[in-house]
Amino acid sequence: MQQSYEPERPAPARVLVVDDDPTVAEVVAGYLDRAGYAVDRAADGPAALTRAAAHRPDLVVLDLMLPGMDGLEVCRRMRESGPVPVIMLTARGDEDDRILGLEVGADDYVTKPFSPRELVLRVESVLRRSRPTTARPASAPLAAAGLSVDPAARRATKNGAELALTLREFDLLAFFLRHPGRAYGREDLMREVWGWDFGDLSTVTVHVRRLRGKVEDDPARPRLIQTVWGVGYRFEPGGE
């Protein structure tokens, strides 16, 4: 009798939910669990770092306002041991806090109160772009103006030196290198790089500023990623 073997299923992505509000944490964890993710929970910064060290998550949903060690510090410390996508939870209206979250490298943020379904969609979007798949083969390496991007290896360099880029910074740089000389609005970049038709456009502004800080010789006077007034941004390999 011939035995049939089912193909081995890939392990579910592990998501660490960090929030000191047990109700919020329970709701978020429940939705993510039903969406097929393996979910860990932590109620404060030290517990989150301990959980992350024991079982490295594929993504972290991280509340900004935590007791003792805030979400910004947790994000910084987690990133010290390697890249990990982070979605920051922030209070509605705290624009400065949201920008701070993006500045320390959060890949996305969701404002409270939020729709758990929307959060699951954001998690799926971030994970989809952070994990190469056979359905979306990586493109060939790109190079211009001393910059080199290898999408398959998720590696970027400037004049041969490794660039420490977050997930979105990497995708944004790769997009610019693929489309030199063409101006894109922030809405275009959000749709093409983030894959969203909605969202706060300051997300794009902050990521462009951070990327300039890593690829420009003088970020205060950018020559590669230029501002096109009234439109958005253009990548100019010639730096004119």
Side-chain angles (χ1 to χ4, degrees):
M1 183 176 179
Q2 186 177 5
Q3 286 184 309
S4 61
Y5 295 93
E6 292 187 4
E8 185 177 349
R9 296 182 179 179
R14 182 178 294 275
V15 179
L16 174 59
V17 177
V18 187
D19 199 305
D20 63 318
D21 185 327
T23 301
V24 172
E26 183 175 351
V27 169
V28 170
Y31 271 81
L32 290 171
D33 180 71
R34 287 191 289 276
Y37 296 103
V39 184
D40 287 335
R41 287 170 53 178
D44 55 41
L49 295 175
T50 299
R51 289 291 183 92
H55 299 284
R56 188 71 177 171
D58 295 297
L59 181 142
V60 182
V61 176
L62 179 61
D63 186 23
L64 178 65
M65 299 301 293
L66 293 171
M69 184 190 304
D70 65 19
L72 298 178
E73 183 62 22
V74 174
C75 186
R76 288 190 190 98
R77 294 195 186 188
M78 281 190 179
R79 288 277 169 77
E80 288 175 358
S81 57
V84 58
V86 172
I87 295 179
M88 198 80 78
L89 302 180
T90 70
R92 183 178 298 277
D94 293 343
E95 182 177 358
D96 291 343
D97 287 340
R98 295 201 300 271
I99 290 175
L100 272 175
L102 294 171
E103 289 284 8
V104 300
D107 298 284
D108 191 12
Y109 63 82
V110 176
T111 54
K112 294 181 178 181
F114 57 85
S115 160
R117 290 188 182 88
E118 178 189 345
L119 177 59
V120 171
L121 290 175
R122 297 290 185 96
V123 168
E124 291 173 350
S125 173
V126 172
L127 282 174
R128 186 168 58 246
R129 287 179 174 264
S130 66
R131 286 181 148 186
T133 67
T134 54
R136 192 190 75 243
S139 61
L142 307 161
L147 298 170
S148 177
V149 169
D150 185 344
R154 300 293 296 183
R155 182 172 182 263
T157 61
K158 176 183 177 181
N159 298 326
E162 192 91 17
L163 290 172
L165 302 180
T166 67
L167 168 69
R168 296 299 188 190
E169 290 166 2
F170 183 95
D171 289 343
L172 186 58
L173 179 58
F175 182 82
F176 278 136
L177 263 65
R178 287 190 190 103
H179 304 281
R182 178 175 172 182
Y184 287 90
R186 292 188 300 170
E187 297 91 344
D188 300 323
L189 292 172
M190 179 160 282
R191 183 173 57 253
E192 297 293 337
V193 178
W194 277 257
W196 308 334
D197 290 317
F198 59 90
D200 188 338
L201 295 180
S202 66
T203 301
V204 177
T205 306
V206 171
H207 278 78
V208 168
R209 183 166 67 241
R210 284 182 54 85
L211 184 58
R212 280 172 168 167
K214 297 177 180 181
V215 305
E216 298 281 359
D217 292 331
D218 182 1
R221 297 180 179 181
R223 295 170 59 86
L224 297 175
I225 304 174
Q226 299 182 0
T227 298
V228 182
W229 298 110
V231 180
Y233 305 99
R234 179 181 62 234
F235 179 68
E236 241 357 297
E240 298 299 332

